[in-house]
Amino acid sequence: MTYQSAAISNGQTTLPHLPDWVTSARAETPETVAFLSGAVLAHLHLVVGCPGVPQTLLRERLALRAAEACVTRAGRPERAGELRDAVQFLQPGDQAGPAGETYLSWRRAVERPISVRALHRALPTLAPEQIATCLDGCGPYDLSGLGQGGPIVRSAAMIETVLAEIPRETVAAQILAEAVLAKALSWEYPVPLLSAGLKRGDLRKRGDDLRLACHRAVIASATEATRLATDLARRAARLHGVAPKLRAKGAGEAVALFLARDALAPSALTSLSSDRAARRFCDRLVELGVIRELTGRDTFRLYGL
């Protein structure tokens, strides 16, 4: 049993922080940066495997951060709240818009285990054969470097190769890089780390400069990802604690949704008897302090852990 799982089983929901020598170190040389990013990934490997952390929800929150970073680098004004709105209130036949489509791609990428079919669902503009080639490291793309070196080296090679072939597919390049990173770490799902830490000009870099930028991006994202995992573990434990007291029919299914989704409109809680019952249920959970209303609005509200 790991330190994390033991702490959770004993009712504690605080994961260990990254060591101070990681968070305070001055990463000045390429060797130092690579060493620190390796230390960060080793720590996050424990976080990703911790049973007390709602992993599906963690991936969704990290996907939102990655989408926001992509949209910001593209010079668009939308931030997390607008991205949530663009996706949560879509009606059949509606278009999510450029920013919303970016968020949808990230959400779909983290929903299912890594496979060609799952990534094609997230990136429909790429043919399945292209995605398979990227993941296998052979074929018409020159990905000979993808199977060599550490996880960050492979991820940087993916970004560089995809953007050399299709320069406008920056989101696709980053999602595929996250998939390569996860595969290299033996993670079943992509866990967005690189994209939130990359700076505006990093995707124009190549070779050693891009690899260095990717190392720095992982270091920059690690503290926030660990903090987020700790916060979600604590909130999930509180929600689990009140769940047996909830008497509404369908409450168990609704609680499970809150433990898996970044944000929900009451209408998404279809296990409850009506929209009115769903709204009351959400308000009750807010009163109990186990979920939050995320928009600050009186109407078209969204709720989440």
Side-chain angles (χ1 to χ4, degrees):
M1 181 180 288
T2 66
Y3 176 92
Q4 286 92 339
S5 60
I8 295 296
S9 66
N10 288 327
Q12 302 171 13
T13 54
T14 301
L15 302 176
H17 296 291
L18 278 167
D20 290 341
W21 58 265
V22 174
T23 56
S24 63
R26 299 184 62 183
E28 296 178 344
T29 67
E31 293 79 11
T32 302
V33 174
F35 174 76
L36 291 176
S37 72
V40 159
L41 289 174
H43 178 84
L44 289 175
H45 187 75
L46 296 178
V47 172
V48 168
C50 175
V53 177
Q55 299 292 342
T56 303
L57 177 54
L58 175 63
R59 292 195 303 272
E60 279 220 353
R61 290 276 165 90
L62 292 175
L64 178 62
R65 289 181 62 226
E68 185 178 36
C70 288
V71 168
T72 300
R73 285 195 293 268
R76 298 192 61 87
E78 293 90 348
R79 295 298 178 264
E82 290 85 359
L83 294 176
R84 282 182 174 130
D85 284 350
V87 169
Q88 292 292 336
F89 298 111
L90 275 178
Q91 298 297 318
D94 286 351
Q95 298 296 317
E101 289 295 337
T102 295
Y103 181 30
L104 279 173
S105 291
W106 279 104
R107 274 195 15 162
R108 290 167 179 161
V110 303
E111 282 177 349
R112 301 180 181 184
I114 299 167
S115 69
V116 171
R117 177 178 294 182
L119 289 169
H120 178 59
R121 179 171 173 268
L123 302 169
T125 60
L126 298 186
E129 294 78 11
Q130 289 177 298
I131 295 170
T133 296
C134 289
L135 294 182
D136 292 341
C138 60
Y141 286 169
D142 178 16
L143 302 180
S144 57
L146 279 179
Q148 304 170 6
I152 300 297
V153 172
R154 301 183 202 182
S155 299
M158 174 62 81
I159 291 174
E160 184 168 353
T161 302
V162 173
L163 292 183
E165 295 286 337
I166 36 179
R168 297 178 65 86
E169 292 284 359
T170 57
V171 172
Q174 291 170 82
I175 288 175
L176 290 171
E178 300 282 11
V180 166
L181 178 64
K183 283 191 68 176
L185 295 169
S186 299
W187 295 349
E188 188 177 5
Y189 296 82
V191 179
L193 295 170
L194 283 166
S195 303
L198 291 170
K199 297 184 177 358
R200 186 181 298 273
D202 285 343
L203 292 177
R204 294 193 293 270
K205 296 176 179 178
R206 297 293 180 265
D208 289 343
D209 290 338
L210 178 58
R211 285 190 285 274
L212 187 61
C214 288
H215 280 300
R216 291 186 188 278
V218 166
I219 297 169
S221 296
T223 300
E224 174 59 22
T226 302
R227 185 206 63 78
L228 178 60
T230 300
D231 182 58
L232 291 178
R234 184 169 51 249
R235 291 176 181 276
R238 288 206 299 264
L239 182 54
H240 280 302
V242 305
K245 305 173 186 177
L246 301 173
R247 303 302 181 191
K249 184 179 180 181
E253 293 89 337
V255 166
L257 278 177
F258 279 117
L259 290 168
R261 303 303 300 270
D262 164 61
L264 291 166
S267 59
L269 304 178
T270 55
S271 64
L272 300 173
S273 59
S274 66
D275 284 350
R276 182 180 179 185
R279 289 192 297 271
R280 288 201 307 267
F281 183 79
C282 291
D283 290 339
R284 176 60 176 154
L285 293 184
V286 171
E287 290 174 5
L288 292 170
V290 293
I291 69 168
R292 298 170 292 162
E293 201 287 310
L294 301 173
T295 69
R297 298 187 295 245
D298 293 330
T299 58
F300 295 100
R301 289 181 159 189
L302 293 172
Y303 298 84
L305 204 65

